[in-house]
Amino acid sequence: MYACQRTHSLLLTQPILSLPSSSFLLLRFSSMLPRLTHKLKLLHLHSLHPPSSFLLRRRHYPPQFSKFPYYPSSSAPFLRLKLPMASSSSSSSLSHSHHKHSNRLASEQSPYLLQHAHNPVDWYPWGEEAFAEARRRDVPIFLSIGYSTCHWCHVMEVESFEDEGVAKLLNDGFVSIKVDREERPDVDKVYMTYVQALYGGGGWPLSVFLSPDLKPLMGGTYFPPEDKYGRPGFKTILRKVKEAWDSKKDLLVKSGAAAIEQLSEALSASSVSDKLSDGVPDDALRLCAEQLSETYDSKFGGFGSAPKFPRPVEPNLMLYHSKKLDDTGKLDGANANREMVFFTLKSMAKGGIHDHIGGGFHRYSVDECWHVPHFEKMLYDQGQIANVYLDAFSITKDTFYSCVARDILDYLRRDMIGPEGEIFSAEDADSAETEGATRKKEGAFYIWSRKEVEDILGEHADIFIEHYYIKQSGNCDLSSMSDPHDEFKGKNVLIERKESKDPSEIASKYSMSIETYKDIFGECRRKLFEVRSRRARPHLDDKVIVSWNGLAISSFARASKILLGEAEGTKFYFPVVGTEPKEYMQIAEKAALFIKKQLHNAETQRLNHSFRNSPSKAPGFLDDYAFLISGLLDLYEFGGGINWLQWAIELQGTQDALFLDGDGGGYFNNTGEDTSVLLRVKEDHDGAEPSGNSVSAINLIRLASMLAESKAEHYKRNAEHLLAVFEKRLKALPMAVPLMCCAADMLRVPSRKQVVVVGERNSEEFERMLAAAHVSYDPNKTVLHIDPNNKEEMEFWEQNNSNIALMAKNNQAANKVVALVCQNFTCSPPVTDQSSLDALLSKKSSSSST
């Protein structure tokens, strides 16, 4: 997923302006169709790293402004809008008598749809009622797609959807449908793919005009309400689209049908071969690492230029590749890869993209130095970023990284978890600047004036101000891209600058020990947190999405064992609270239990996609199954019960039944059962979220390493066929699919390392031995654990991998926990202490593919 703004204007505004000659619009539209397939091939190039023009003139463009600037010069006074207070997500519980207008969205559960429930626009949710009304009236559909924490979605609502004149145009000439793209990613995917393929970019709000049979006619992103500087406003666009529909309807419908047909053909990837060609995995992994290295910012860290997104699949690949280089003796290359990742992670953690006061990470940085962020916080970021910091700690044993991972997880635990363990989706960027204010501004909750800091911190203000680069005039001056229109004048986004003095040097300057220095900073952050907690909070999207919960479950489960590697006596400083690692496992299990209870049908073995007050109407999509299965495998491997592995296997069977292309290979993004969704896509792009196919390939490889014989072969065949589908992508543009590059290499590893821990599950020694099994970074390692006294576990392994059951029987010892390391069909002698297991795992791996 990308942020709500985009880098390209998408609507065919030039021909619309030339109407009533609407035939010109149709000619231009039709002329673009032959280029559609070519544009699809280039699609991911546009989405990897937006061009630098994205933020040249302001720090937060609406989607279309960078290609077609709305103001004629860089000095034009386009400032961030202050938004009226949006309706709360609980507005459905209020009496409609409190509002001048109410529409069908008032009955929905989605926070985003509820934000529009009292617009004068006669909104419909996506569904047959709206489609039938468009057919009855023979009018086009206006489809608006966004999400509740999207800044420019809020802007377009205030400017257009709350405007009585715009509402009249929409109500008289269209059937208007509002979609939450987080609730219906399948619908969003169809029309986002359409506008990206035809016009080179996309974003939210996504604004698309459809025929009554849902074929796209034309589309765009954000539109201002009025005509300015030679560009059409939304009112003009509505009039011209209606005019085109009335006069040239048949041509419009024909063009839309042709577009969908070509999209379907272009996206129907399949492979006759059921295996990747020789050499592709090794070449793709190497080339992806090389391509990322070429984009590396050695000054500020990160891959690519501003705006900088923390795309976790990039460091994932670099660390994976460095492990492979290590195992083959190429130490210089391995060290270079790791240093890029470590410097990036340190730069991110010290930058303003990291919430130093409350923990967690914001969506992205608008500048090159990770300083001024777009302030929304997304769950899918937190889970993935935490895992990267956990990996860095596993490699370095540097508690800097483990503390950042804790910082993220503690933020989620404090602010983003519901009463039954469910994990919420996002926090908005916008909030009221002062108590009782009627308008919102981005970042208001997170920024500080120097006077505020001085008043709150008193005697320790000076040292804090020096450390976090706080200035009377405001500190958003480190880059020309940070705040070009002085929207944050006099305000400070906390940052630990690269150029700042070493903490020990500052401590010495103030005649204190480094320990005292750290204590003071923890207490200062706590005081600021307490004051900030009394501010108006950003809107919380308390929707529960299965796929994003799967990502978070993974990070909580992994933390429960990896953090046991922290040195005894490690001190933690606010906002890190020093949680016992085993508590993170409890959080992971509680989140998984919520999904199983509320979003899983035991009879059909199917998932629903999301939950808010009740399960959504939308079924589970590929990402829901793939990400949850990945989280469940981590739950099991890092110490959870055998029930989580059993459920993962069950869900994998359901995923195969619903999404697998048995003939062509790979997984579709949706089931194909909803006829209103016009495309089934096999997604491969590993972006802000990894693709469902990449995650599925790794899941299949992991499952094949756990189970035996025909079951393992079945999983492996599906993984091989899946990767063969995307061979062209792996060869031509591996940087678009970093996680899939890792999956391809994993599949070619001659023998995946297995660690088997046998003993009484509830003993402290069992926990310590399991932690030792996870102490080192090795993505080509599977950890299995079994209690020979547990009947359920023994029966499971006897049915699914009798070798594991036999190991448990042969190595059962009273009051002892035994570990074995197996590879290349050979197991080590059993060991009964952690240091011996650590020595076995520290040996140079023989698992690297050649």
Side-chain angles (χ1 to χ4, degrees):
M1 176 190 292
Y2 314 105
C4 62
Q5 73 276 4
R6 282 296 186 183
T7 61
H8 296 276
S9 173
L10 304 174
L11 189 73
L12 297 176
T13 49
Q14 296 282 20
I16 286 177
L17 277 175
S18 69
L19 290 172
S21 178
S22 54
S23 59
F24 179 61
L25 180 152
L26 297 169
L27 286 171
R28 175 170 172 178
F29 181 86
S30 299
S31 71
M32 297 180 82
L33 290 177
R35 303 202 300 274
L36 188 147
T37 301
H38 176 67
K39 287 275 185 92
L40 277 170
K41 294 177 181 177
L42 299 177
L43 193 56
H44 296 315
L45 288 173
H46 293 288
S47 56
L48 288 175
H49 296 290
S52 58
S53 61
F54 179 62
L55 292 170
L56 287 179
R57 294 192 358 263
R58 57 176 270 105
R59 61 172 301 273
H60 197 50
Y61 276 119
Q64 74 184 75
F65 283 2
S66 66
K67 187 173 181 183
F68 295 118
Y70 202 72
Y71 287 93
S73 73
S74 60
S75 61
F78 190 87
L79 303 180
R80 176 182 305 283
L81 292 178
K82 290 187 178 181
L83 302 175
M85 298 291 283
S87 302
S88 100
S89 59
S90 62
S91 61
S92 61
S93 64
L94 299 176
S95 168
H96 292 175
S97 63
H98 291 291
H99 303 278
K100 182 178 179 181
H101 302 282
S102 290
N103 55 54
R104 294 165 184 82
L105 302 186
S107 301
E108 294 296 306
Q109 298 288 359
S110 157
Y112 177 63
L113 300 190
L114 290 171
Q115 287 171 354
H116 295 264
H118 304 292
N119 297 161
V121 177
D122 187 18
W123 291 113
Y124 287 75
W126 182 265
E128 181 54 34
E129 182 186 6
F131 312 151
E133 180 66 8
R135 292 193 298 268
R136 184 187 70 79
R137 291 172 54 194
D138 191 26
V139 295
I141 291 168
F142 170 65
L143 174 64
S144 176
I145 302 178
Y147 57 101
S148 73
T149 59
C150 165
H151 177 80
W152 286 99
C153 301
H154 301 332
V155 173
M156 195 163 178
E157 178 189 15
V158 170
E159 292 180 336
S160 292
F161 302 144
E162 293 181 352
D163 182 89
E164 298 282 353
V166 170
K168 180 170 175 53
L169 289 170
L170 282 169
N171 296 342
D172 290 350
F174 302 85
V175 168
S176 299
I177 298 178
K178 179 65 74 171
V179 167
D180 182 341
R181 58 97 46 212
E182 294 171 356
E183 194 173 59
R184 291 303 303 260
D186 54 337
V187 175
D188 177 67
K189 183 65 180 180
V190 172
Y191 301 106
M192 182 63 75
T193 301
Y194 162 77
V195 294
Q196 284 181 314
L198 283 177
Y199 311 123
W204 298 280
L206 183 65
S207 306
V208 189
F209 296 92
L210 315 178
S211 63
D213 64 352
L214 309 181
K215 303 298 191 302
L217 308 177
M218 57 198 74
T221 53
Y222 160 84
F223 300 110
E226 305 291 346
D227 301 350
K228 287 185 181 179
Y229 304 105
R231 310 307 305 172
F234 190 48
K235 293 177 183 177
T236 296
I237 290 167
L238 291 174
R239 294 187 187 101
K240 298 303 183 182
V241 171
K242 182 63 168 62
E243 182 181 335
W245 176 261
D246 291 340
S247 61
K248 303 288 183 180
K249 176 173 62 178
D250 291 343
L251 281 174
L252 278 175
V253 172
K254 184 178 179 181
S255 294
I260 287 294
E261 183 178 348
Q262 289 198 34
L263 283 171
S264 182
E265 291 175 4
L267 296 171
S268 58
S270 63
S271 176
V272 176
S273 172
D274 59 1
K275 291 186 178 180
L276 281 172
S277 301
D278 291 343
V280 170
D282 192 60
D283 290 345
L285 186 68
R286 174 185 50 77
L287 184 56
C288 186
E290 289 175 358
Q291 290 175 342
L292 287 173
S293 297
E294 290 169 2
T295 69
Y296 175 65
D297 181 347
S298 59
K299 184 176 181 181
F300 296 108
F303 300 94
S305 56
K308 283 188 173 173
F309 290 77
R311 185 184 174 214
V313 291
E314 294 171 336
N316 283 341
L317 178 126
M318 297 300 278
L319 292 179
Y320 182 96
H321 188 235
S322 70
K323 180 67 168 68
K324 183 175 181 180
L325 293 175
D326 253 346
D327 290 343
T328 53
K330 300 173 183 176
L331 302 184
D332 289 345
N335 290 332
N337 280 1
R338 280 193 292 262
E339 285 309 310
M340 283 186 242
V341 173
F342 298 156
F343 182 63
T344 295
L345 294 181
K346 287 183 176 179
S347 298
M348 287 170 52
K350 293 180 178 182
I353 192 173
H354 176 213
D355 180 1
H356 294 268
I357 301 303
F361 280 78
H362 300 294
R363 184 66 197 90
Y364 63 87
S365 166
V366 303
D367 50 43
E368 69 277 17
C369 48
W370 301 107
H371 183 202
V372 180
H374 175 46
F375 285 91
E376 70 180 329
K377 290 182 176 179
M378 307 300 296
L379 176 59
Y380 60 78
D381 281 326
Q382 313 307 323
Q384 292 182 89
I385 294 171
N387 267 335
V388 176
Y389 280 94
L390 288 170
D391 287 341
F393 172 70
S394 293
I395 296 166
T396 64
K397 301 301 180 285
D398 183 345
T399 53
F400 174 88
Y401 301 108
S402 66
C403 285
V404 178
R406 284 176 172 274
D407 164 293
I408 298 168
L409 300 177
D410 290 347
Y411 154 67
L412 292 179
R413 184 182 189 183
R414 185 189 66 238
D415 289 345
M416 298 292 285
I417 295 181
E420 296 183 58
E422 69 276 29
I423 310 177
F424 301 138
S425 295
E427 288 192 295
D428 205 343
D430 304 335
S431 60
E433 290 186 271
T434 58
E435 189 67 31
T438 58
R439 293 184 177 272
K440 292 184 174 184
K441 184 175 180 181
E442 179 168 356
F445 185 70
Y446 299 100
I447 57 180
W448 304 89
S449 69
R450 176 171 176 141
K451 186 176 188 306
E452 284 178 307
V453 173
E454 290 173 337
D455 290 345
I456 295 165
L457 301 186
E459 64 175 317
H460 297 310
D462 288 346
I463 190 172
F464 193 88
I465 284 168
E466 181 174 353
H467 185 91
Y468 284 107
Y469 186 59
I470 295 171
K471 301 168 65 178
Q472 186 69 35
S473 58
N475 71 353
C476 299
D477 56 2
L478 295 178
S479 166
S480 60
M481 305 177 78
S482 297
D483 189 28
H485 289 281
D486 293 330
E487 297 169 67
F488 292 140
K489 186 176 182 179
K491 299 293 184 178
N492 295 272
V493 177
L494 302 187
I495 181 173
E496 299 175 85
R497 293 183 65 193
K498 177 184 173 184
E499 295 81 3
S500 297
K501 296 177 182 177
D502 183 86
S504 59
E505 187 178 343
I506 301 178
S508 176
K509 173 183 173 181
Y510 287 88
S511 303
M512 62 180 67
S513 68
I514 188 67
E515 290 76 16
T516 302
Y517 176 87
K518 291 179 178 179
D519 284 336
I520 288 172
F521 270 83
E523 187 57 30
C524 287
R525 288 190 294 265
R526 186 190 303 277
K527 288 180 179 179
L528 290 175
F529 176 83
E530 291 170 354
V531 171
R532 196 177 80 172
S533 297
R534 296 193 288 271
R535 293 176 175 176
R537 289 195 65 88
H539 159 71
L540 171 68
D541 187 329
D542 57 357
K543 182 167 68 267
V544 180
I545 297 175
V546 171
S547 57
W548 298 0
N549 270 250
L551 295 171
I553 287 168
S554 169
S555 60
F556 277 112
R558 296 181 75 240
S560 73
K561 295 299 178 290
I562 292 173
L563 294 178
L564 290 173
E566 291 172 325
E568 189 174 345
T570 298
K571 289 193 67 175
F572 303 105
Y573 305 93
F574 193 86
V576 177
V577 298
T579 301
E580 283 294 322
K582 64 182 180 182
E583 294 180 37
Y584 291 133
M585 175 60 76
Q586 294 165 4
I587 293 169
E589 292 193 307
K590 199 171 181 182
L593 281 170
F594 178 88
I595 293 172
K596 191 162 191 178
K597 177 183 176 183
Q598 299 288 359
L599 289 162
H600 178 252
N601 186 314
E603 292 182 12
T604 64
Q605 298 184 353
R606 290 191 177 198
L607 294 168
N608 285 84
H609 170 62
S610 62
F611 181 98
R612 187 175 183 277
N613 298 328
S614 63
S616 66
K617 300 170 189 174
F621 304 107
L622 172 63
D623 288 1
D624 295 310
Y625 286 84
F627 294 7
L628 179 57
I629 291 167
S630 178
L632 294 174
L633 292 178
D634 283 333
L635 252 184
Y636 168 72
E637 284 203 55
F638 285 81
I642 197 70
N643 56 307
W644 301 121
L645 178 55
Q646 290 172 314
W647 192 27
I649 293 168
E650 175 195 300
L651 288 173
Q652 187 63 57
T654 305
Q655 177 183 317
D656 290 351
L658 294 176
F659 304 100
L660 181 66
D661 182 351
D663 296 326
Y667 293 97
F668 293 105
N669 68 325
N670 64 68
T671 65
E673 295 170 344
D674 186 343
T675 57
S676 72
V677 181
L678 303 184
L679 293 175
R680 293 186 84 194
V681 178
K682 294 180 186 177
E683 297 186 71
D684 62 357
H685 180 229
D686 296 319
E689 299 171 64
S691 77
N693 274 294
S694 296
V695 175
S696 294
I698 294 175
N699 290 344
L700 292 168
I701 293 164
R702 294 174 71 182
L703 285 167
S705 74
M706 295 177 175
L707 307 187
E709 299 172 354
S710 61
K711 294 173 183 175
E713 286 303 313
H714 168 75
Y715 291 135
K716 188 173 181 182
R717 279 196 306 272
N718 283 348
E720 288 176 331
H721 201 179
L722 182 161
L723 291 165
V725 170
F726 302 106
E727 179 168 327
K728 289 183 179 178
R729 175 72 73 187
L730 288 164
K731 291 162 73 173
L733 193 60
M735 195 168 73
V737 289
L739 196 62
M740 191 170 287
C741 292
C742 296
D745 188 78
M746 287 179 183
L747 191 61
R748 287 295 179 266
V749 169
S751 178
R752 190 175 175 91
K753 185 182 295 182
Q754 286 185 325
V755 182
V756 182
V757 178
V758 180
E760 185 183 343
R761 177 173 301 281
N762 295 325
S763 68
E764 286 294 323
E765 184 59 29
F766 188 91
E767 284 291 299
R768 288 194 290 268
M769 191 69 85
L770 200 53
H774 290 290
V775 74
S776 60
Y777 171 81
D778 187 352
N780 281 304
K781 174 180 66 182
T782 297
V783 177
L784 307 175
H785 46 89
I786 180 169
D787 184 344
N789 296 315
N790 186 303
K791 183 179 177 181
E792 180 187 4
E793 290 186 39
M794 291 298 290
E795 287 179 353
F796 172 85
W797 289 114
E798 284 166 356
Q799 294 170 11
N800 292 281
N801 190 338
S802 59
N803 290 330
I804 303 300
L806 186 61
M807 281 187 205
K809 290 176 182 177
N810 291 343
N811 291 281
Q812 185 172 5
N815 302 319
K816 284 189 177 180
V817 177
V818 174
L820 305 95
V821 178
C822 305
Q823 195 169 20
N824 297 320
F825 308 103
T826 303
C827 291
S828 68
V831 297
T832 57
D833 62 273
Q834 299 160 63
S835 59
S836 298
L837 177 57
D838 186 49
L840 284 173
L841 294 174
S842 298
K843 288 182 179 179
K844 186 71 68 175
S845 173
S846 60
S847 66
S848 295
S849 57
T850 56

